[in-house]
Amino acid sequence: MRLTRAGEYAVRCMVYLAYKGHGVLVSKQEIAERTEIPSYFLAKIVQQLSKARLIVITQGPKGGYSLLKPAAEVSLLQIVEVMIGEISLNECVDRPSSCSVSKNCSVHKVWEKASSQLRETLAAVSLAQLSENESCIPIFPVRVSNA
Amino acid sequence: MRLTRAGEYAVRCMVYLAYKGHGVLVSKQEIAERTEIPSYFLAKIVQQLSKARLIVITQGPKGGYSLLKPAAEVSLLQIVEVMIGEISLNECVDRPSSCSVSKNCSVHKVWEKASSQLRETLAAVSLAQLSENESCIPIFPVRVSNA
DNA sequence: ATAAATAAGATATTTAATATCTTATTTATC
DNA sequence: GATAAATAAGATATTAAATATCTTATTTAT
């Protein structure tokens, strides 16, 4: 019951892009190095982010990735769900047919409530908020400390 | 990001035991059949529930399982965490060392909040509540409908 | 035309979850 | 006490998902 590494990597990648600025093109190499994501794995992740229209991929030399939308318009939930699909904390939540009485099942109701609560919490956080503050990318934000 | 089947089975088993009543001995066979848990898998699960002091195992002929505590004193969270360990929705939550800046990381803070929120939601539900109402065990509660 | 970049599909590799089997232990009953 | 019926506990498959990597193709600046 935990975010996958792919999900974590997607968040880091997006936070880094947001930090660099909306529309700014950043190379795969740079992102991979700064965010400590295996370069090949990053390639897979950005493909999904691009299909979901969260980023733009530019090919060719001087190519790279950039945000499609302003960071304020992207939520943490969106990023995570691109990678792992819609969050549901128990199978019966997204496949009620797996349970014979789901509709009236008291256990089902708890998981349904917990799932939507979690989705709301993640939806309330924007990429802008995440990139404006210190976050878990090594070296970054350097903002050369004033001591 | 979903409950494992072992977790789901543990909940079903506990709900069934609670339904039969506190201290009532129920055989493995009966539980396996009524809750649709593979018998061998159930054996593994009750071992953990027993170590965690949620149920009592009685060996020998006429053996079986029963609740150790009144259902009102057991929470859904307890049952689930016996099977999957303490819930943390991202690696950085229970292993802050995996992240270089965790303490001040804005992403980390969100996952920490989401994790405790989820734990609170599950902690607020007692086994008694779950077994008093209709739940996801086929056939059960039969409570011969009055039509 | 060339070379530098990413795209996309295929394939390993690793890990975790699920399921099952085997042998051992406990205990009610005769 | 012997027997048989139940669970215990450790070991081993099996399955599925996640992670990681490789290969070949495509795009585009120079």
Side-chain angles (χ1 to χ4, degrees), chain A residues 5 11-12 17 30 42 45-46 52-53 55 57 68 72 77 89 104 106 108 115 119-120 127 137 141 145:
Chain A
R5 205 165 294 183
V11 173
R12 271 197 229 164
L17 286 176
E30 177 177 344
L42 177 60
I45 287 161
V46 293
R53 301 189 52 75
I55 67 168
I57 295 176
L68 176 59
L77 180 69
L89 294 173
N104 300 309
S106 53
H108 175 78
S115 299
R119 297 187 74 237
E120 278 163 25
L127 181 56
I137 296 171
S145 164

Side-chain angles (χ1 to χ4, degrees), chain A residues 27-28 44 47 57-61 64-65:
Chain A
S27 76
K28 180 167 77 163
K44 290 289 133 192
Q47 277 167 34
I57 295 176
T58 305
Q59 288 204 148
Y65 315 122

Side-chain angles (χ1 to χ4, degrees), chain B:
Chain B
M1 192 172 266
R2 167 172 296 190
L3 183 66
T4 60
R5 205 165 295 183
E8 165 70 18
Y9 288 162
V11 173
R12 272 196 227 165
C13 171
M14 291 293 284
V15 168
Y16 191 73
L17 286 176
Y19 169 66
K20 300 290 277 195
H22 175 229
V24 174
L25 198 65
V26 188
S27 76
K28 181 168 79 164
Q29 298 317 321
E30 178 178 343
I31 300 174
E33 282 166 21
R34 299 294 291 278
T35 61
E36 297 185 337
I37 301 174
S39 173
Y40 280 126
F41 204 169
L42 176 60
K44 288 290 133 193
I45 287 161
V46 293
Q47 278 167 34
Q48 294 186 68
L49 292 173
S50 158
K51 271 183 198 153
R53 303 187 53 73
L54 292 186
I55 67 168
V56 171
I57 295 176
T58 305
Q59 287 203 146
K62 305 222 167 168
Y65 316 122
S66 61
L67 290 187
L68 176 59
K69 307 172 195 173
E73 291 171 21
V74 179
S75 72
L76 178 55
L77 180 69
Q78 281 180 282
I79 302 170
V80 167
E81 291 198 334
V82 165
M83 303 309 299
I84 66 171
E86 180 167 324
I87 290 175
S88 75
L89 293 174
N90 198 355
E91 187 181 5
C92 64
V93 173
D94 70 327
R95 261 195 351 108
S97 63
S98 65
C99 176
S100 40
V101 267
S102 58
K103 264 240 158 138
N104 300 310
C105 170
S106 53
V107 181
H108 175 78
K109 283 175 190 161
V110 177
W111 288 114
E112 200 147 65
K113 177 184 163 190
S115 300
S116 35
Q117 193 178 41
L118 172 57
R119 297 187 73 237
E120 278 162 25
T121 298
L122 300 181
V125 179
S126 75
L127 181 56
Q129 287 171 257
L130 296 178
S131 63
E132 279 156 13
N133 297 292
E134 191 173 7
S135 88
C136 56
I137 295 170
I139 329 174
F140 151 82
V142 192
R143 296 190 199 268
V144 185
S145 164
N146 32 16

Side-chain angles (χ1 to χ4, degrees), chain A:
Chain A
M1 192 173 267
R2 169 172 294 190
L3 184 65
T4 60
R5 205 165 294 183
E8 165 71 17
Y9 287 163
V11 173
R12 271 197 229 164
C13 172
M14 291 294 284
V15 169
Y16 191 73
L17 286 176
Y19 169 67
K20 299 289 278 195
H22 175 229
V24 173
L25 198 67
V26 188
S27 76
K28 180 167 77 163
Q29 299 315 321
E30 177 177 344
I31 299 175
E33 281 167 22
R34 300 295 292 276
T35 62
E36 296 184 338
I37 301 173
S39 173
Y40 280 126
F41 204 169
L42 177 60
K44 290 289 133 192
I45 287 161
V46 293
Q47 277 167 34
Q48 293 186 68
L49 292 173
S50 157
K51 271 183 197 153
R53 301 189 52 75
L54 292 185
I55 67 168
V56 171
I57 295 176
T58 305
Q59 288 204 148
K62 305 221 167 171
Y65 315 122
S66 62
L67 291 186
L68 176 59
K69 307 170 193 173
E73 292 172 21
V74 179
S75 73
L76 179 55
L77 180 69
Q78 281 181 282
I79 301 170
V80 167
E81 291 198 334
V82 165
M83 302 309 299
I84 67 172
E86 181 166 324
I87 290 175
S88 75
L89 294 173
N90 198 357
E91 187 182 7
C92 65
V93 174
D94 69 328
R95 264 201 342 113
S97 63
S98 65
C99 176
S100 40
V101 269
S102 58
K103 264 239 157 140
N104 300 309
C105 171
S106 53
V107 181
H108 175 78
K109 284 174 190 161
V110 178
W111 288 115
E112 201 146 64
K113 177 184 162 190
S115 299
S116 35
Q117 194 177 42
L118 172 57
R119 297 187 74 237
E120 278 163 25
T121 298
L122 299 182
V125 179
S126 75
L127 181 56
Q129 287 171 256
L130 295 178
S131 64
E132 278 156 12
N133 297 293
E134 191 172 6
S135 88
C136 55
I137 296 171
I139 327 174
F140 150 83
V142 194
R143 298 190 196 271
V144 184
S145 164
N146 32 15

